[in-house]
Amino acid sequence: MYYIAALYFALTMLLHGPHPESIAQLLPLWPISWLPLFPVNLGIGLIYAILSIGTLAAAIFPHGRIARTLAFIGLLEYAALASSFGKINHGYHLWVLTSLLLIFLPGGWVRQASLTGQQKGNYLCLFWGCQGMILLVYTMSGLWKVQEGFIQLFHGQANAFSPDALALQTADGLLQTRSQTLLGPLFIAHPLLGWPVYLGTICLELLSIVMWFRPSLHKLWAIGLIGMHLGIYLTMGIPFIDNILLLALFFFASPFVAKRRADAGVNRRLQQAETSGAS
């Protein structure tokens, strides 16, 4: 499912991504530092070809390490291309990071019946690592907001803790994008409505890494983060579809939650059997 989703996003990237005519504004990041050595059409075409072939191969052969490696290279190259025009596109970061980790899935992971205990442990550790990477990025976002908030507070400026923080940020974003949203005008007109929402969002992000160690809260926290992204879209018009799908993939069916439930069921049946035997 992960690589099928990656293939879908690769196809949408081809439709909406940078095109050769915009190459004059290109400031290549290090993963595509080779791009100026080729003709414009050929260089960008190579990146699109690697992205398409890599994600398609991984969607068809997810058990193949070479296919997963090609998918990672394609995502890395495209993310670098999309961020080489003076502004970093954060939407692709988690896909690049998780695709890098998934290269190292243990051999034979698709044949669960034949896996040894060590291989199963390696698989679960890698899956847990992907979850931790996702949650760490959200915590880093929360830490950055808190850090910058205190710096601005120290200088007597509007900051993340101000009652009108969300209203100011929304107004600035809508002016830049020249767009209209459903909730944006409401929070701009009534700043106090957005104050607890913004502070709650910072806390949600800041504490995300703690949830890495609380499997029972995986699904609930993912729902909260998805709700945050939906709120951002309704307020500022910024979609985070890529992140929403990753949260659903890695946390809605967390194997650690299922394992705990299975263990609870086994223990309950054992207790019932012991009670029946004693009687």
Side-chain angles (χ1 to χ4, degrees):
M1 289 302 298
Y2 175 92
Y3 286 109
I4 290 173
L7 174 61
Y8 168 76
F9 281 120
L11 296 176
T12 61
M13 291 170 192
L14 296 182
L15 293 174
H16 305 293
H19 293 283
E21 58 268 20
S22 61
I23 199 68
Q25 304 164 349
L26 185 70
L27 299 170
L29 298 180
W30 66 265
I32 59 167
S33 57
W34 54 268
L35 190 60
L37 302 177
F38 292 83
V40 174
N41 290 340
L42 177 60
I44 294 183
L46 281 173
I47 293 176
Y48 284 177
I50 296 171
L51 176 67
S52 304
I53 295 171
T55 52
L56 177 61
I60 299 173
F61 307 108
H63 54 281
R65 198 180 304 276
I66 294 177
R68 299 198 303 272
T69 302
L70 282 175
F72 160 70
I73 294 173
L75 289 166
L76 174 65
E77 293 293 286
Y78 181 84
L81 176 64
S83 298
S84 293
F85 294 89
K87 182 180 180 181
I88 299 297
N89 191 324
H90 301 283
Y92 305 125
H93 285 178
L94 282 177
W95 282 90
V96 172
L97 293 170
T98 52
S99 66
L100 172 62
L101 289 179
L102 290 175
I103 292 174
F104 303 100
L105 281 168
W109 62 272
V110 293
R111 299 184 296 274
Q112 296 186 26
S114 62
L115 289 179
T116 65
Q118 180 65 39
Q119 287 174 316
K120 291 180 180 179
N122 291 341
Y123 173 85
L124 289 174
C125 282
L126 194 62
F127 193 96
W128 193 54
C130 289
Q131 290 180 321
M133 183 69 74
I134 294 169
L135 294 172
L136 177 61
V137 168
Y138 282 102
T139 292
M140 290 169 64
S141 175
L143 283 172
W144 180 83
K145 289 182 177 68
V146 171
Q147 172 190 299
E148 294 301 310
F150 276 116
I151 292 174
Q152 292 168 330
L153 179 64
F154 179 78
H155 288 93
Q157 302 170 345
N159 56 79
F161 314 112
S162 302
D164 57 351
L166 182 59
L168 290 172
Q169 190 167 345
T170 301
D172 181 65
L174 294 181
L175 284 173
Q176 290 186 35
T177 60
R178 299 182 182 276
S179 59
Q180 296 181 345
T181 59
L182 183 63
L183 298 180
L186 176 66
F187 287 125
I188 292 173
H190 306 282
L192 289 179
L193 287 177
W195 192 19
V197 174
Y198 196 69
L199 292 178
T201 297
I202 293 176
C203 291
L204 186 71
E205 289 187 319
L206 194 62
L207 297 175
S208 288
I209 194 62
V210 178
M211 298 305 115
W212 194 27
F213 306 96
R214 300 297 303 273
S216 61
L217 296 177
H218 278 178
K219 182 182 292 188
L220 180 63
W221 210 259
I223 291 172
L225 291 171
I226 289 173
M228 177 191 72
H229 285 312
L230 293 175
I232 292 173
Y233 175 71
L234 293 173
T235 305
M236 302 181 190
I238 305 173
F240 285 92
I241 298 174
D242 308 41
N243 287 30
I244 288 174
L245 188 53
L246 272 182
L247 288 166
L249 283 170
F250 281 98
F251 292 96
F252 280 6
S254 174
F256 306 105
V257 178
K259 183 64 167 59
R260 291 185 61 181
R261 290 175 178 172
D263 288 345
V266 170
N267 292 334
R268 185 166 57 252
R269 287 192 291 272
L270 287 174
Q271 291 174 358
Q272 291 173 350
E274 290 174 358
T275 303
S276 299
S279 60

